[in-house]
Amino acid sequence: MTRILADLPEEDVEWLDALAAEQGKSRAALLREAVVDYRARESQDGIAKYFGLWARHGSQGDDRSYERKFGSDWDGGLE
């Protein structure tokens, strides 16, 4: 295993330390898990990578309601 040095804002370090204490893990263990999760997400292809993106970021409603709300601005609109 390779050791690295990374600069993080103090508030991120404080958050990371609190999470580590809460989960009974080390800061390094959480960072390793984060890298594994990030790599897994980045290796997904196409629709699997972006499926549910809006929901993960707090969007409510379905795509058709969004289209109805903003579709009238487009030529022809939507039904």
Side-chain angles (χ1 to χ4, degrees), residues 21-79:
E22 178 183 308
Q23 294 186 9
K25 298 178 181 179
S26 68
R27 183 190 297 169
L30 289 180
L31 291 171
R32 284 190 294 269
E33 290 174 7
V35 169
V36 168
D37 290 346
Y38 185 80
R39 286 186 68 187
R41 256 185 295 137
E42 287 301 306
S43 67
Q44 292 176 338
D45 290 328
I47 196 161
K49 184 174 184 177
Y50 300 106
F51 184 78
L53 183 65
W54 288 11
R56 288 193 301 268
H57 293 281
S59 176
Q60 302 294 322
D62 60 72
D63 56 350
R64 291 298 292 167
S65 64
Y66 181 84
E67 288 175 0
R68 279 187 215 88
K69 181 176 179 181
F70 295 103
S72 62
D73 294 341
W74 303 333
D75 289 338
L78 297 171
E79 69 255 3

Side-chain angles (χ1 to χ4, degrees), residues 8-21 27:
L8 296 172
E10 187 62 33
E11 61 269 10
D12 289 343
V13 174
E14 291 170 3
W15 174 84
L16 189 60
D17 287 343
L19 185 62
R27 183 190 297 169

